[in-house]
Amino acid sequence: MKRIAVAGPSLALVKYWGKKDEGINLPLCTSVAITLDSLQSRVSIEDSQKDHDSCTLNGQDASLDSLRGILATLREQASPEKKQQFVHIEAENNFPTGAGLASSASGLAACALALVDFFGLSFTTRQLSSLARLGSGSACRSIFSGFTLWREGKEYAEQLAPPTHWEELRMIVCVVSDKKKEISSRLAMQSCKEFSPFFSQWIRYNNTLVADAVSAIHSRDLEKLGHCMQASYSAMHATMIANKYPIRYWLPQSLVLIKHAEYLRSKNIPVWETMDAGPQVKYLTKEQHVDAVLSSIQDVAPKTQSIVCKISDGVRFQ
Ligand code: PMV
């Protein structure tokens, strides 16, 4: 029977945007994130019938580019006969892929676990985090459950607190568009590093948000955490918009949802928004407000699909 590795996306509250080393995804800034349930990547691996590695994503042939570092690292450590074997990887996401919903984080975290198992190796969680990072930076956080921290320049992420630490927290993912983004986060980060006049300020500023975000998580202070989230995603998008070759992931509907969060807060409903490399808006709130928030989204943005996520377990076999 095929083993299936599953992982949820790592949604950053304080963002990672910029690499110290492009080849191996070492971050220039520290990020703080939560691992989500409801959205899931599933990966299974078998011996390839071909004379090369292959991969399908949601049933279609897919590129192995982001897996090359992971495969090379594992083959270096595998037994002589295992390293000769070619793999066939089948990956599936139950949510839009490449649309700013961190599918690369969950997908590559699940691939890392499934491949370590396939090659007959045994890794610590920290080694697994470091391995997943070679595929996609944010994947190193998806290895862990709950609240995570990935420090500037570090090879692996760490857990700040388990999901049980703050059980009433919910992330409502508002899918504004399920189209694949035109520019990948990899290219967009590179472009900002080279061409955004705000890039170095962005890195300095974002790092100043980390201590408050971490203490807000420890003391379960949603308002304090919300301010850090807003500051981080706003500065990240400002850096992109000011780029010499502007990167504008926002759609009109994204702004509608941002303004709506503002409106809800004015009515004493604590909802704090964030965005990633795509038009989707994610609302952080508490369980008791979810129904009110969902019905209000239907009023202002009826075409939006909203997915309610809890804070989840890390990567695992099903
Ligand atoms: O790991 P990547 O290359 O998919 O980049 C993730 C970038 C953001 O989602 C925008 C921020 C983050 O910290 O996850």
Side-chain angles (χ1 to χ4, degrees):
M1 219 181 65
K2 275 199 268 182
R3 294 187 89 188
I4 298 177
V6 298
S10 168
L11 208 288
L13 310 174
V14 175
K15 305 291 176 186
Y16 145 62
W17 194 255
K19 300 178 206 243
K20 206 168 244 176
D21 185 318
E22 311 286 341
I24 54 168
N25 298 332
L26 288 181
L28 274 168
C29 51
T30 300
S31 53
V32 178
I34 48 179
T35 307
L36 300 182
D37 76 354
S38 301
L39 309 183
Q40 198 177 66
S41 295
R42 296 161 58 84
V43 172
S44 65
I45 311 230
E46 58 193 7
D47 271 344
S48 177
Q49 303 306 316
K50 306 177 185 152
D51 58 356
H52 55 83
D53 296 324
S54 57
C55 173
T56 62
L57 177 55
N58 299 329
Q60 310 278 327
D61 285 340
S63 155
L64 282 159
D65 279 354
S66 46
L67 288 159
R68 296 207 193 283
I70 296 179
L71 285 166
T73 304
L74 293 176
R75 287 205 168 100
E76 267 170 30
Q77 299 179 39
S79 66
E81 71 274 15
K82 265 288 178 194
K83 70 170 83 192
Q84 311 285 351
Q85 274 176 356
F86 292 111
V87 293
H88 176 65
I89 301 168
E90 273 176 23
E92 266 170 42
N93 296 324
N94 71 352
F95 61 102
T97 300
L101 291 170
S103 57
S104 64
S106 50
L108 285 146
C111 279
L113 178 65
L115 283 164
V116 166
D117 182 60
F118 177 86
F119 283 104
L121 297 166
S122 132
F123 272 33
T124 63
T125 317
R126 186 177 277 188
Q127 286 171 318
L128 196 58
S129 173
S130 195
L131 182 74
R133 190 204 77 245
L134 297 174
S136 159
S138 51
C140 74
R141 300 184 312 233
S142 271
I143 297 297
F144 298 91
S145 65
F147 300 81
T148 58
L149 177 75
W150 180 25
R151 293 177 201 273
E152 171 196 345
K154 277 282 184 196
E155 290 169 350
Y156 47 83
E158 60 199 88
Q159 189 192 55
L160 282 172
T164 48
H165 168 69
W166 198 351
E167 275 179 318
E168 57 176 349
L169 216 53
R170 294 290 179 277
M171 185 66 90
I172 304 178
V173 174
C174 308
V175 183
V176 166
S177 162
D178 59 10
K179 290 211 186 79
K180 200 168 180 324
K181 58 193 163 205
E182 279 163 20
I183 170 163
S184 66
S185 40
R186 182 181 296 267
L187 287 177
M189 274 186 216
Q190 240 169 4
S191 181
C192 286
K193 190 175 175 189
E194 198 168 347
F195 299 113
S196 178
F198 298 159
F199 189 75
S200 50
Q201 289 99 313
W202 145 254
I203 297 291
R204 271 201 304 278
Y205 177 64
N206 197 55
N207 281 336
T208 67
L209 302 171
V210 174
D212 271 356
V214 171
S215 91
I217 288 170
H218 285 317
S219 57
R220 300 186 198 90
D221 182 338
L222 183 56
E223 188 173 348
K224 184 170 168 186
L225 184 58
H227 282 293
C228 297
M229 279 169 63
Q230 274 202 322
S232 181
Y233 95 87
S234 304
M236 178 179 81
H237 281 275
T239 308
M240 295 189 221
I241 291 167
N243 202 36
K244 186 169 178 193
Y245 308 102
I247 299 159
R248 294 183 276 242
Y249 284 118
W250 296 24
L251 289 174
Q253 209 60 354
S254 319
L255 194 54
V256 167
L257 287 161
I258 289 172
K259 298 298 286 179
H260 186 56
E262 236 170 73
Y263 167 79
L264 290 171
R265 287 195 297 276
S266 77
K267 299 287 169 204
N268 293 322
I269 301 181
V271 169
W272 298 89
E273 82 285 357
T274 187
M275 290 180 71
D276 291 280
Q280 330 306 350
V281 178
K282 293 102 180 184
Y283 284 172
L284 192 69
T285 188
K286 291 185 187 166
E287 187 183 8
Q288 75 247 43
H289 301 294
V290 165
D291 289 345
V293 174
L294 287 177
S295 72
S296 75
I297 294 173
Q298 281 314 303
D299 294 341
V300 293
K303 291 198 181 119
T304 307
Q305 187 205 350
S306 304
I307 306 162
V308 181
C309 302
K310 291 186 194 168
I311 302 185
S312 141
D313 290 338
V315 71
R316 62 211 176 270
F317 282 109
Q318 207 173 38

